[in-house]
């Protein structure tokens, strides 16, 4: 956690030596999966609580009973938070835990003359509210008596009125320059069954009203949220003040995270799923936390990225290459380096004994000796990448072509002697001879080669599928203007990998030598399907 950002300064200013009393909360709406922007919020809220020795609550905002699949999203969100490496204080909390208190406080506001029942419909409320240059005008129902408001509000609760016919509004200021303070709706009638409270309620509080109450009841000291809630802070403070909470929670806003070449908005992701552009919320091309987990990103990489971008007030757009940089930084020392050929062509070593297989020892990670070694087979027939051979070599091409010698990684020098084509002119086999004196580790120094290529022995080779993921969005357009999608955001390759790949689990990360980082797809269902996490090299230069 970076030191000295404006949120930390506020915490120290408010709590001083009692900073360990810091209490934050994460209040996601269970209407979709969390994404990289939420990951930033998770790191801030849970990270600050952890930093100061305080606590962070996980509280779901399910005050709208009409949202579907909330139970599914709640389970997914809890899994995401734990996968990120954090845990919440006590039990999981829900906005519906406080429905009774929200109602009682609404009655209190009516008695104080700070709320009234309004009969205007939603369209009329918008018309009366005015705009940024024109003040609103009072509702004709604004001056109802306390007694009438109490009676109508109780009858709203008892289900006597249809949806949209009446609301409870805070009585603030219809000429306020802040539109959120122009008598906002704090209760609305919704005849719908809530998945936790059933049909107990037919009126439900709005988020702007319920959120500060929930924070205050839970003893939240600092309510940290995105910059989109900055204009809502005066209403947050108004609710806390009018109800008389002490001590008062303090809302502080920070800039949301926006990334290039991706889509984060829930409604856009839903549309992509509906249009068949992506598979689901956990599609590895979208930066939901579930998608990043399936893609092979690590929690440490995401946390390090969020720490590096810091906490700011100003809106900014971060290059996705920066996130990929931290993924590589975490994968490089911790991934097993294996050989896999994704565009295979057969290489026959004509002077290697037919039927003979020898086993070669190779390091699991050349830069991390603690990861140990493994045995791989080598024989007469192997697979190499098709582009590791050229009939007419390009300038500075140091791989296989007639007469050229290269090293097979971890094995021997081989010299290309010939190749075979089919009736369509496609190269089907390449031929070479090997020098048995050049075995890796033998100390051979008589001559050097300029090229080293990877390979997979046909003996015990594992058939694999590699999902080569690329950016979902190729034009860096904003969400309102629309997106231009990359038609090649997923390319499927079929190839071969060395036998050790059969041991792969979804927790493992691999570097396919000279190619990219991969992980076993969580939905592989026993098949050898691997997702490309990120390419090995990047043009991104950290500051």
């Amino acid at each position: 956690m970076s030191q000295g950002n404006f949120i930390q300064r506020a915490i120290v200013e408010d709590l001083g030596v009692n900073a360990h009393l810091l209490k934050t909360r994460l209040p996601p709406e269970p209407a979709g999966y969390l994404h990289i922007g939420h990951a930033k919020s998770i790191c801030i809220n849970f990270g600050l609580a952890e930093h100061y020795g305080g606590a962070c609550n996980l509280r779901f905002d399910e005050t709208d009973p009409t949202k579907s699949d909330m139970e599914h999203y709640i389970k997914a969100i809890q899994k995401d938070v734990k996968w990120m490496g954090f845990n919440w204080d006590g039990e999981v909390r829900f906005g519906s835990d406080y429905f009774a208190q929200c109602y009682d406080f609404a009655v209190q506001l009516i008695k104080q003359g700070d709320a009234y029942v309004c009969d205007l419909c939603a369209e009329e409320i918008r018309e009366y509210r005015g705009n940024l240059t024109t003040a609103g005008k009072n509702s004709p129902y604004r001056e109802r008596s306390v007694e009438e408001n109490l009676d109508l509000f109780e009858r709203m609760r008892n289900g006597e009125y249809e949806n949209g016919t009446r609301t409870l509004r805070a009585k603030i200021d219809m000429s306020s320059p802040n539109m959120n303070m122009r008598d906002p709706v704090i209760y609305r009638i919704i005849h719908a069954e809530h998945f936790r409270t059933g049909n107990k309620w037919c009126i439900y509080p709005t988020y702007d009203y319920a959120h500060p109450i929930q924070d205050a009841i839970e003893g939240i000291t600092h309510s940290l949220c995105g910059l989109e809630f900055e204009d809502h802070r005066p209403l947050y403070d108004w609710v806390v003040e009018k109800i008389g909470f002490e001590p008062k929670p303090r809302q502080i806003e920070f800039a949301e995270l926006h990334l290039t070449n991706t889509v984060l908005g829930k409604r856009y992701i839903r549309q992509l799923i509906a249009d068949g552009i992506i598979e689901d919320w956990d599609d590895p091309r979208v930066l939901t936390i579930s998608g990043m987990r399936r893609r092979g990103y690590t929690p440490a990489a995401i946390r390090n990225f969020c720490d590096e971008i810091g906490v700011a007030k100003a809106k900014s757009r971060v290059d996705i290459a920066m996130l990929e940089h931290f993924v590589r930084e975490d994968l490089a020392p911790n991934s097993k380096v294996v050989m896999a050929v994704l565009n295979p062509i057969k290489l026959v070593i004509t002077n290697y004994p037919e039927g003979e297989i020898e086993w070669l020892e190779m390091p699991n990670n050349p830069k991390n000796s603690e990861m140990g070694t493994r045995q791989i087979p080598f024989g007469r027939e192997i697979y190499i990448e098709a582009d590791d051979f050229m009939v007419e070599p390009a300038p500075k091409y140091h791989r296989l072509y007639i007469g050229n010698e290269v090293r097979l990684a971890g094995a021997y020098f081989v010299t290309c002697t010939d190749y075979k084509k089919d009736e369509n002119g496609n190269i089907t086999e390449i031929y070479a001879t090997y020098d048995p004196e050049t075995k890796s580790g033998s100390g051979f120094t008589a001559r050097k080669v300029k090229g080293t290529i990877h390979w997979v022995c046909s003996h015990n080779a594992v058939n694999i599928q590699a999902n080569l993921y690329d950016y979902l969005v190729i034009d860096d357009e904003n969400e309102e203007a629309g997106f231009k999608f990359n038609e090649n955001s997923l390319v499927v390759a079929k190839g071969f990998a060395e036998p050790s790949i059969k041991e792969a689990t979804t927790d493992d990360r691999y570097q396919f030598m000279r190619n990219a980082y991969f992980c076993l797809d969580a939905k592989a269902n026993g098949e050898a399907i691997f997702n490309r996490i990120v390419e090995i090299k990047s043009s991104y230069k950290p500051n």
Side-chain angles (χ1 to χ4, degrees), residues 507-527:
D507 293 327
D508 297 321
R509 303 292 182 270
Y510 293 92
Q511 183 193 121
F512 286 3
M513 189 181 293
R514 298 174 62 223
N515 194 314
Y517 292 98
F518 285 82
C519 73
L520 185 67
D521 184 31
K523 294 185 176 180
N525 293 322
E527 297 183 63

Side-chain angles (χ1 to χ4, degrees), residues 29-235:
E29 180 187 21
Y33 280 46
L34 301 186
H35 54 61
I36 185 67
H38 297 108
K40 175 182 176 180
S41 183
I42 290 171
C43 289
I44 291 173
N45 280 284
F46 284 94
L48 283 170
E50 188 176 272
H51 178 75
Y52 289 106
C56 182
N57 290 354
L58 176 62
R59 181 207 314 139
F60 289 98
D61 167 38
E62 24 67 282
T63 52
D64 184 350
T66 63
K67 296 292 178 69
S68 60
D69 294 330
M70 285 198 285
E71 291 178 272
H72 169 74
Y73 295 131
I74 285 169
K75 291 178 181 177
I77 290 169
Q78 291 182 71
K79 181 178 180 180
D80 288 346
V81 173
K82 288 186 176 181
W83 179 78
M84 284 286 295
F86 298 107
N87 209 344
W88 46 89
D89 185 54
E91 298 294 322
V92 173
R93 295 165 172 84
F94 296 87
S96 54
D97 295 339
Y98 308 100
F99 280 172
Q101 288 125 308
C102 286
Y103 179 83
D104 291 341
F105 287 129
V107 171
Q108 176 185 326
L109 292 177
I110 293 173
K111 291 179 178 179
Q112 293 172 184
D114 292 317
Y116 63 96
V117 174
C118 182
D119 295 1
L120 296 178
C121 67
E123 184 177 346
E124 291 170 329
I125 289 175
R126 283 193 295 271
E127 292 174 359
Y128 272 66
R129 184 172 286 133
N131 53 46
L132 293 174
T133 58
T134 305
K137 57 183 180 179
N138 290 346
S139 164
Y141 307 100
R142 198 174 195 265
E143 301 307 322
R144 277 175 163 156
S145 68
V146 169
E147 292 73 21
E148 184 179 6
N149 282 318
L150 288 173
D151 175 63
L152 290 171
F153 190 49
E154 183 177 3
R155 292 169 68 183
M156 286 170 59
R157 177 183 179 175
N158 292 338
E160 295 185 25
Y161 307 118
E162 296 180 359
N163 292 351
T165 56
R166 283 192 163 99
T167 58
L168 183 69
R169 298 175 65 180
K171 186 186 288 188
I172 307 179
D173 181 4
M174 290 301 294
S175 63
S176 172
N178 186 331
M179 300 289 287
N180 296 293
M181 300 297 281
R182 295 185 184 180
D183 289 12
V185 171
I186 60 176
Y187 260 95
R188 67 274 203 222
I189 301 170
I190 304 176
H191 288 276
E193 183 174 348
H194 190 283
F195 83 97
R196 294 190 75 239
T197 60
N199 293 307
K200 181 178 180 180
W201 298 91
C202 61
I203 57 171
Y204 292 90
T206 60
Y207 181 77
D208 278 345
Y209 169 71
H211 183 216
I213 292 174
Q214 295 160 4
D215 283 352
I217 292 173
E218 291 181 3
I220 302 302
T221 61
H222 293 79
S223 183
L224 311 177
C225 54
L227 203 59
E228 72 268 26
F229 289 100
E230 184 174 31
D231 290 341
H232 297 251
R233 190 194 329 136
L235 178 54

